[in-house]
Amino acid sequence: MKIIIFTFIMLTILNTNSFSEFKFIGEIKSINKFDNRIEFKLENSLFNIYVIKDNVIRFRYTNKNSFSEAPSYAVIKNNSISNYDFSETGNYFEIKTSELIVRILKDPCRVSIYDKNMNIINEDEKSFGVSYDFDEVRCFKKLFSDEIFYGLGEKTGNLQKTRNQYTMWNSDTPGYNEKTDPIYQSIPFFIGIRNKKAYGIFLDNTYKSYFNMGASNKRFYWFGSEKGELDYYFINGPEIKKVISSYTDLTGRMELPPKWALGYQQSRWSYYPESRVREIAKTFRDKEIPCDVIYLDIHYMNDYRVFTWDKNRFPDPQKMLNDLSKDGFKIITIVDPGVKADTINYSIAKEGLRRNLFAKYPDGEVYQGEVWPSWAFFPDFTKKETRTWWGEKNADLLKQGIAGIWNDMNEPAVWGASFPDLVLFDDNGFKADHKKIHNVYGLEMAHATFEGLKNEFPNKRPFILTRAGFSGIQRYAAVWTGDNVASEEHLKLACTMPLGMGISGVPFCGSDVGGFMGTPSPNLYLRWMQLGAFTPFFRGHSVINASAKEPWAFGEEIEKWVKDIISLRYELLPYFYNEFYAASKTGLPIMRPMFLNFQNDDECYAFESQYQFMIGEDILVAPVLSENKNFKKVYLPEGKWLDWWNSKIYEGNKWIIVEAPSSIIPLFIREGGIIPMQEKQNYIGEKNIKELMLKIFPSKNSNYVLYEDDGITQNYKKGEYSLTRFEVNKNDNSITLNISKEKDGYETKREDYLISFYDINEFSSIENNNNSLNSFNSLDELKNQNEGFYFDKENNLLLIKVKDHGNMNIQIKDL
Ligand code: GLC
């Protein structure tokens, strides 16, 4: 008995000792102020603070003796500033910038961040702060009862992330559902909002990380990683837009893509052989359904060997590509990372081995994992030589006539889903294992491809599509939301997920329209197409064994409506392209949650508001996300809203129910909206567009600046673009439209404008640069004239046609 009790006690003691314990950072022992940072030595940690900008502060902790010197994969610009105040008062140190006050309590070391009026924005949980559990590190923050969270990139479930926990670990999750987490991308950045004021936190750590946004407790939220430093950036708003802009200042922004990438794209696993690809292309053109891109999925390759062709299926790729390009089609090929481990007949594998470009086990053996080509080697994209080599191989595809590259399986995915953690990578010379590199493997693959295409074709804009990524992926690629399902649940996710990506710095995103797995009902397909036409990335795709999902596969009626909505996307190209330009400049999303534009409106944070969105500032899109409904509940924020389809005007600040027969997706123009449009084309660049159409819903005063360039080269970076400003003023008597060239670096082919003014009751005359315009009896009649107007009194719609004289002043008199 004694022996049993003794053994029990010993076991208990041993057990307790081997329990892991959270070790808190403790008090500040010493401080050293350098030009670019302040260094604190704490009881159990090193801690550095960098002031990056007046609203961006970097906090960096490690329980090692020094900080890592390996460069960040995500952050490309984090120079710190030194013009801020630093002081010591009693039990705290204080940093003061023009926008923030940061107090660092000495014992225990805790950070509190205030606005300049000393209102608390964010603070460490008073007892827990930052803690370590061996390699694992966590940062506990006080959770305010009214605090809500958004962001975290590509996540399923609701757009709002409050009271849930999320993991960052890129995962191949075919047929995921609204509860699956994690999926393909890791964007460790979130936005916290309280009292309508926003801040953001970006955790720059690539290891498996966690974000507990107040799940299972009401005291704190926390974020942290299994290993590596706690290196995070606090970004103050209070505007949400400012948070996103500052975050993308750190991690980079999307470059302007080729204009054709905004067009409709058709994919399937897989279109082959060549005759099938030609047939798809021909059907689009015969039916005059606009389409710019066709994808070649894995069957174009010789037994899934990347950078090869299956010569039986595609005997003369160059000829095919050439022919299709005459018809306006751009062909994009899938390129997976796994290089078939065929060391006998496959030059890519042999070259990679010879040049030591693949990831290896610690004992030096090259790792092999199983994917489509069976056993495969995995390029080490964290090694410069590998990136250059891979970039060149991708550029070779472009030399053959391929227009863009589709990166898939780059989580990296392997059968069994467990890429061994001990596999080693170069980590840009710093050497790291898979645990550190996993989440940036896709990012670095896209990086390699992007650089390769740019090196070989310096004046071309690269187009890359990727499944996996990390913060910063927006610099290199568009993102699609992976293997979704043809279901209503996924139709909803196809709305909320690109919205979530947009506010996480990745504007160019969309879903597999129609659903990848399974076959959608005709109505589900139609509603998805209507939504897809308003997502920045617009591609239909399908799994191998589902029935046809092309626009003509669901009967004539659906085909017509689908054609209408794709056509509308092409008509709206000037508006969309302008938003892409803006996104490339500001980092703000193209497709925006309501609360981004209307930050002070409670209803915009409501659960149902996540199922509608804004494109830019002026178009509200309210997709029907249900296959059998023909109405939609829509929230219209303050102001007036014009129904796109029937010119009806609504007073905002309320929820309405609008009818949405199958033929339409509810759309509204915000009062003051100026929407540039152009005629439909079968593909972007097909026609020499000579007329710019403007839809104007006049308010007291509004402005719109239209960006135009050649849509394909890098010349815009040298100033070859034009900016045209449209300014509308409305008073009790008249409406004036001023058109002025703000920048003239690119010559548009424009000859005239067709301008629609909505909400016009009556007027006496219309003058263009003081010359009065003639009235005509119908739109058709007007279209045949050089200049003039037609008043559709019934719809309060005034159409004006004028020549493009450069700077112009149009007046509608005596309202
Ligand atoms: C993956 C991709 C999918 C692709 C398939 C075959 O499942 O997510 O888009 O069609 O692989 O390459």
Side-chain angles (χ1 to χ4, degrees):
M1 189 61 186
K2 269 186 190 163
I3 293 177
I4 294 174
I5 293 172
F6 177 70
T7 320
F8 177 72
I9 291 171
M10 280 312 287
L11 275 177
T12 316
I13 291 170
L14 278 177
N15 247 337
T16 319
N17 286 344
S18 65
F19 269 170
S20 58
E21 258 179 24
F22 282 92
K23 201 174 207 178
F24 300 99
I25 49 178
E27 63 173 312
I28 296 178
K29 293 284 192 193
S30 68
I31 163 171
N32 219 336
K33 192 169 176 307
F34 299 92
D35 255 5
N36 70 336
R37 71 196 159 100
I38 304 164
E39 174 155 298
F40 300 93
K41 289 208 165 84
L42 316 179
E43 248 172 306
N44 296 314
S45 181
L46 265 184
F47 174 31
N48 274 355
I49 300 184
Y50 301 72
V51 178
I52 307 293
K53 284 205 284 190
D54 286 322
N55 71 322
V56 181
I57 319 277
R58 177 183 183 192
F59 301 95
R60 198 175 179 197
Y61 301 80
T62 180
N63 61 354
K64 304 279 178 298
N65 293 331
S66 61
F67 288 99
S68 160
E69 308 230 321
S72 167
Y73 285 96
V75 174
I76 52 166
K77 199 169 98 195
N78 66 353
N79 301 338
S80 46
I81 56 169
S82 50
N83 53 336
Y84 56 87
D85 295 334
F86 182 69
S87 58
E88 180 176 358
T89 319
N91 61 349
Y92 61 84
F93 296 99
E94 187 174 277
I95 292 171
K96 209 170 178 175
T97 75
S98 66
E99 296 184 33
L100 292 173
I101 295 165
V102 181
R103 282 198 180 159
I104 306 111
L105 195 67
K106 293 178 182 169
D107 185 17
C109 174
R110 297 285 181 265
V111 169
S112 307
I113 303 167
Y114 305 84
D115 67 16
K116 58 177 191 281
N117 301 319
M118 278 310 285
N119 297 309
I120 185 79
I121 305 172
N122 183 265
E123 66 184 351
D124 289 349
E125 214 285 339
K126 65 178 186 316
S127 300
F128 308 139
V130 172
S131 74
Y132 299 99
D133 179 6
F134 296 100
D135 277 342
E136 185 184 301
V137 62
R138 291 186 185 187
C139 180
F140 292 87
K141 294 285 189 184
K142 175 174 175 165
L143 177 66
F144 294 90
S145 60
D146 55 348
E147 195 164 16
I148 55 174
F149 301 100
Y150 289 95
L152 297 175
E154 189 193 53
K155 292 292 176 200
T156 61
N158 290 336
L159 190 56
Q160 198 183 113
K161 303 302 176 208
T162 321
R163 303 216 172 274
N164 280 306
Q165 180 164 320
Y166 301 89
T167 303
M168 296 296 165
W169 187 252
N170 293 354
S171 305
D172 177 12
T173 46
Y176 60 89
N177 63 41
E178 62 184 4
K179 295 212 164 59
T180 314
D181 181 68
I183 57 168
Y184 309 94
Q185 297 251 339
S186 294
I187 315 262
F189 162 69
F190 65 87
I191 299 168
I193 304 176
R194 204 159 59 88
N195 298 329
K196 311 280 169 17
K197 295 196 170 82
Y199 66 88
I201 285 182
F202 166 54
L203 173 63
D204 191 11
N205 182 315
T206 66
Y207 286 91
K208 187 182 270 184
S209 301
Y210 301 93
F211 287 79
N212 179 311
M213 312 319 289
S216 315
N217 93 91
K218 58 180 180 181
R219 182 171 166 181
F220 51 74
Y221 73 88
W222 67 266
F223 50 91
S225 307
E226 286 196 344
K227 211 176 163 180
E229 295 168 6
L230 179 78
D231 185 0
Y232 76 90
Y233 293 77
F234 175 87
I235 303 165
N236 194 41
E239 299 82 16
I240 309 171
K241 287 179 178 168
K242 184 168 165 190
V243 174
I244 300 172
S245 266
S246 299
Y247 165 71
T248 52
D249 227 14
L250 292 169
T251 59
R253 298 188 174 130
M254 166 187 75
E255 285 198 10
L256 205 48
K259 211 174 194 175
W260 54 257
L262 277 64
Y264 178 64
Q265 319 197 7
Q266 184 64 52
S267 185
R268 179 177 183 92
W269 175 11
S270 306
Y271 288 129
Y272 73 90
E274 175 179 328
S275 56
R276 177 72 180 137
V277 180
R278 287 179 185 272
E279 186 188 326
I280 293 289
K282 184 168 179 314
T283 313
F284 272 105
R285 293 296 180 256
D286 286 351
K287 291 178 175 288
E288 299 194 336
I289 300 173
C291 179
D292 266 83
V293 184
I294 296 177
Y295 282 72
L296 298 182
D297 205 329
I298 48 179
H299 288 92
Y300 78 91
M301 294 177 274
N302 170 14
D303 212 8
Y304 306 135
R305 288 171 178 84
V306 282
F307 309 118
T308 68
W309 288 90
D310 180 321
K311 286 290 170 114
N312 288 323
R313 295 170 180 157
F314 296 92
D316 190 351
Q318 229 148 334
K319 168 138 188 11
M320 174 187 80
L321 296 171
N322 200 13
D323 290 350
L324 288 171
S325 109
K326 284 187 198 140
D327 221 358
F329 282 101
K330 275 66 64 180
I331 305 299
I332 292 180
T333 42
I334 196 167
V335 175
D336 290 349
V339 171
K340 189 175 175 70
D342 165 5
T343 54
I344 316 276
N345 294 315
Y346 183 27
S347 65
I348 305 284
K350 289 194 278 187
E351 220 175 286
L353 282 180
R354 182 170 43 79
R355 293 179 52 188
N356 192 20
L357 304 174
F358 298 131
K360 289 178 173 173
Y361 286 109
D363 65 0
E365 184 181 314
V366 176
Y367 166 68
Q368 291 187 30
E370 238 184 327
V371 254
W372 300 124
S374 179
W375 293 104
F377 304 127
F378 284 78
D380 177 0
F381 297 116
T382 68
K383 185 172 181 169
K384 179 120 191 16
E385 293 88 319
T386 311
R387 287 201 297 273
T388 310
W389 172 70
W390 192 259
E392 285 164 2
K393 300 292 167 208
N394 278 282
D396 285 347
L397 283 172
L398 260 71
K399 283 187 205 156
Q400 295 172 47
I402 292 298
I405 303 293
W406 169 20
N407 283 171
D408 186 26
M409 307 296 279
N410 49 353
E411 291 68 32
V414 280
W415 303 160
S418 309
F419 201 106
D421 279 338
L422 46 55
V423 170
L424 292 180
F425 293 83
D426 185 60
D427 193 16
N428 293 310
F430 290 86
K431 312 290 176 211
D433 61 25
H434 173 255
K435 282 188 178 177
K436 178 177 178 194
I437 301 306
H438 179 86
N439 280 340
V440 292
Y441 192 79
L443 175 77
E444 287 308 286
M445 182 184 187
H447 179 193
T449 309
F450 183 83
E451 294 296 336
L453 302 193
K454 269 203 149 172
N455 284 341
E456 193 58 41
F457 301 94
N459 202 29
K460 235 183 175 168
R461 302 182 199 171
F463 177 77
I464 299 163
L465 174 67
T466 184
R467 193 170 73 176
F470 189 74
S471 284
I473 190 63
Q474 67 272 11
R475 304 194 294 261
Y476 312 125
V479 172
W480 99 102
T481 58
D483 296 348
N484 60 3
V485 181
S487 68
E488 265 192 15
E489 177 189 358
H490 273 271
L491 175 59
K492 292 196 171 73
L493 289 174
C495 176
T496 50
M497 288 171 67
L499 284 173
M501 284 294 267
I503 51 170
S504 308
V506 187
F508 203 0
C509 182
S511 67
D512 280 348
V513 174
F516 175 70
M517 296 165 115
T519 304
S521 69
N523 266 339
L524 185 70
Y525 178 77
L526 171 67
R527 292 308 191 185
W528 210 317
M529 271 291 193
Q530 290 173 338
L531 166 68
F534 289 90
T535 57
F537 179 64
F538 182 23
R539 182 184 77 151
H541 183 44
S542 173
V543 72
I544 190 165
N545 52 6
S547 5
K549 288 183 202 167
E550 292 77 30
W552 49 87
F554 300 88
E556 272 178 27
E557 209 176 28
I558 299 287
E559 181 183 321
K560 185 192 169 300
W561 293 327
V562 165
K563 178 175 169 177
D564 285 349
I565 201 67
I566 302 181
S567 303
L568 180 60
R569 164 80 169 215
Y570 279 68
E571 285 165 5
L572 277 168
L573 189 69
Y575 186 75
F576 268 99
Y577 193 56
N578 225 35
E579 288 309 315
F580 271 74
Y581 173 69
S584 75
K585 285 276 173 210
T586 63
L588 292 179
I590 295 154
M591 176 181 176
R592 303 173 172 185
M594 297 304 294
F595 59 77
L596 186 64
N597 286 9
F598 304 94
Q599 189 168 334
N600 290 322
D601 186 336
D602 277 320
E603 291 305 313
C604 290
Y605 299 86
F607 170 77
E608 259 184 278
S609 296
Q610 66 180 332
Y611 299 126
Q612 61 180 68
F613 54 89
M614 301 292 300
I615 296 291
E617 293 288 334
D618 292 332
I619 298 182
L620 189 158
V621 184
V624 176
L625 301 176
S626 188
E627 50 194 312
N628 294 317
K629 280 202 184 126
N630 45 19
F631 63 90
K632 171 90 182 181
K633 192 174 164 196
V634 190
Y635 178 68
L636 300 175
E638 197 171 23
K640 285 189 182 151
W641 297 84
L642 175 78
D643 187 315
W644 185 276
W645 302 107
N646 59 18
S647 304
K648 193 170 161 188
I649 290 169
Y650 292 90
E651 261 313 323
N653 214 358
K654 60 169 178 272
W655 288 89
I656 58 165
I657 292 184
V658 285
E659 281 182 29
S662 300
S663 55
I664 66 155
I665 168 174
L667 300 173
F668 300 86
I669 303 180
R670 195 174 64 98
E671 189 181 13
I674 300 170
I675 316 285
M677 295 174 70
Q678 66 186 29
E679 73 181 290
K680 171 204 155 187
Q681 308 175 80
N682 285 313
Y683 58 90
I684 290 163
E686 181 199 22
K687 295 180 185 163
N688 238 338
I689 306 260
K690 299 203 171 111
E691 184 172 83
L692 186 76
M693 302 185 250
L694 294 173
K695 261 183 192 274
I696 299 180
F697 178 23
S699 66
K700 245 186 185 160
N701 173 269
S702 68
N703 267 289
Y704 185 86
V705 180
L706 178 69
Y707 170 88
E708 290 163 290
D709 67 11
D710 66 21
I712 190 90
T713 72
Q714 300 278 1
N715 293 347
Y716 71 100
K717 289 184 182 157
K718 294 184 260 164
E720 291 185 23
Y721 61 90
S722 81
L723 295 173
T724 311
R725 176 179 292 273
F726 302 98
E727 182 173 353
V728 177
N729 286 294
K730 179 181 174 181
N731 59 34
D732 289 346
N733 293 319
S734 66
I735 296 175
T736 321
L737 165 64
N738 270 305
I739 306 181
S740 53
K741 276 264 167 281
E742 281 204 347
K743 180 162 172 30
D744 225 353
Y746 170 73
E747 205 173 316
T748 68
K749 311 274 176 321
R750 183 153 49 251
E751 289 177 4
D752 49 52
Y753 288 102
L754 183 63
I755 308 164
S756 314
F757 281 96
Y758 290 84
D759 194 22
I760 306 290
N761 291 319
E762 52 182 354
F763 56 91
S764 67
S765 63
I766 297 174
E767 286 181 2
N768 176 23
N769 288 349
N770 297 323
N771 300 319
S772 74
L773 296 178
N774 292 334
S775 164
F776 295 91
N777 292 325
S778 71
L779 177 58
D780 283 342
E781 213 180 299
L782 176 65
K783 278 190 168 164
N784 292 324
Q785 310 299 321
N786 275 338
E787 299 207 329
F789 69 86
Y790 159 60
F791 185 36
D792 172 358
K793 205 164 174 13
E794 211 175 303
N795 290 309
N796 295 341
L797 171 62
L798 169 65
L799 287 135
I800 299 177
K801 184 175 171 186
V802 283
K803 290 269 138 211
D804 181 0
H805 303 292
N807 291 347
M808 292 158 75
N809 173 282
I810 296 167
Q811 287 195 27
I812 308 169
K813 298 195 149 173
D814 304 319
L815 296 177

